[in-house]
Amino acid sequence: MQQKNKLFAIFGNPVTHSLSPLMHNYALEGLGINGCYTRYQLIDPKALKEKFLQLNLDAINITVPHKEAAYQACDEIRGIAKEIGAINTIVKENDKLIGYNTDAPGFFKCATSLGKIENILILGAGGTAKALAAIFRDKKISVTILNRSASRLKYFKQKNYSCYTWEDFETNTFDLVVNTTSAGLQDEYLPVDEKLLNDILNHAKYAIDVIYNKNTPFLQMAKEHDLPVKDGSDMLLFQGVYAFELFFNKRYKEEEILPFMQKAFT
Ligand code: NDP
């Protein structure tokens, strides 16, 4: 008997730029699975659950700006997503919507491939910073947050992270420095004052920018400091692999799935 056709989507606004449909469709096709992954521009996040059910979807990913609202739409949250308060993957299980966060383990996988990490400096204090802080703390790795303004640091202070603004930060040695700000995404700004960033990178081992497919000013400066660097492509790739595994409740060997998903980046 033929396997039921599975239907997946990414919900976001905007959503046209997303590489997820390509990544997942290449994986479905390559692995010989009967299914299709599409995109849906969700304007009102309150309609998320209704749309999910109406479109008869089996699972979805969620991108900006709905990751926190999606958390509220789920019947149950599992894993590190509970600590983060934001989700990027929802799987329907016995007519219930189960929420997960695969951005955090996706980033962790990408970061640890650089080498041993005992402490990390996160630049920025938005949604991505929350996800990264949670997974590194969960793995018992020391986390410091540095943000331009104080207001977004409240969340991190409440959770007892070491947090600083540019004004009160004193450079220390960090294994990994990550840019999670949107500086460099659509402009040519550095995420931190140039002099301070120079000092930070002089004391760092590795640098990652979560922005992908762009040599941002942050990445460029890290390269000039001869640091091993990565952009956000591997984070995107691995959050996709982990989401795919949740869709099918199955683990895949990297060599089985990565060649298909990586085609989306070529
Ligand atoms: P948020 O909007 O939640 O947070 C933005 C942060 O950036 C804030 O801390 C803000 O500081 C800071 N910021 C913005 N502009 C500047 C600037 N010019 N200089 C210094 N700081 C600045 O963003 P997200 O966490 O949702 O996303 C951040 C980035 O991560 C985006 O570029 C996004 O594309 C990328 N991303 C990549 C993923 C991947 O898979 N590779 C996955 C998810 C996100 P302040 O508080 O002072 O305003």
Side-chain angles (χ1 to χ4, degrees), residues 17-69:
H17 67 286
S18 172
L19 281 182
S20 291
L22 266 184
M23 279 166 52
H24 288 281
N25 282 324
Y26 278 133
L28 289 166
E29 192 188 356
L31 295 165
I33 298 170
N34 200 4
C36 178
Y37 189 114
T38 184
R39 50 168 68 97
Y40 181 79
Q41 186 188 21
L42 182 74
I43 294 160
D44 177 6
K46 289 197 202 83
L48 187 145
K49 187 170 184 176
E50 189 193 330
K51 272 289 154 204
F52 185 117
L53 299 172
Q54 204 179 69
L55 295 169
N56 205 15
L57 291 155
D58 292 285
I60 60 169
N61 289 120
I62 303 99
T63 186
V64 281
H66 299 316
K67 291 184 188 183
E68 286 175 8

Side-chain angles (χ1 to χ4, degrees), residues 59-92:
I60 60 169
N61 289 120
I62 303 99
T63 186
V64 281
H66 299 316
K67 291 184 188 183
E68 286 175 8
Y71 187 96
Q72 307 303 328
C74 290
D75 298 303
E76 188 185 325
I77 305 291
R78 291 196 191 145
I80 193 84
K82 283 191 220 161
E83 174 63 21
I84 301 166
I87 60 162
N88 73 325
T89 304
I90 300 181
V91 181
K92 190 164 72 178

Side-chain angles (χ1 to χ4, degrees), residues 80 104-109 112 116-120 131-143 161 242:
I80 193 84
F107 181 83
F108 191 76
K109 170 81 185 168
T112 46
K116 193 167 165 51
I117 296 167
E118 286 177 351
N119 51 38
I120 164 174
L132 269 46
I135 191 96
F136 279 90
R137 176 180 268 185
D138 189 60
K139 306 284 185 191
K140 314 272 180 274
I141 292 169
S142 156
V143 176
Y161 286 101
Y242 296 144

Side-chain angles (χ1 to χ4, degrees), residues 12 65 86 111 140 168 174 185 198 225 235 265:
K140 314 272 180 274
D168 58 11
F174 294 99
L185 182 66
N198 200 33
H225 281 75
M235 175 186 180
F265 293 86

Side-chain angles (χ1 to χ4, degrees), residues 64 67 103 124-129 147-149 152 166 180-183 185 189-191 210-212 232 235-236 239:
V64 281
K67 291 184 188 183
D103 285 331
T128 309
N147 197 45
R148 177 178 60 180
S149 59
R152 285 199 222 224
W166 302 359
T180 74
T181 78
S182 37
L185 182 66
Y189 293 131
L190 285 168
V210 298
I211 294 169
Y212 58 88
M235 175 186 180
L236 184 68
Q239 67 73 32

Side-chain angles (χ1 to χ4, degrees), residues 132-195:
L132 269 46
I135 191 96
F136 279 90
R137 176 180 268 185
D138 189 60
K139 306 284 185 191
K140 314 272 180 274
I141 292 169
S142 156
V143 176
T144 303
I145 317 283
L146 174 59
N147 197 45
R148 177 178 60 180
S149 59
S151 59
R152 285 199 222 224
L153 290 176
K154 270 187 218 135
Y155 166 94
F156 294 93
K157 278 195 179 136
Q158 274 165 5
K159 291 188 175 276
N160 290 320
Y161 286 101
S162 305
C163 338
Y164 304 90
T165 61
W166 302 359
E167 286 70 36
D168 58 11
F169 181 75
E170 277 179 35
T171 305
N172 212 322
T173 302
F174 294 99
D175 289 332
L176 174 63
V177 181
V178 191
N179 176 31
T180 74
T181 78
S182 37
L185 182 66
Q186 283 165 332
D187 53 48
E188 295 301 316
Y189 293 131
L190 285 168
V192 179
D193 162 78
E194 187 173 352
K195 191 169 165 295

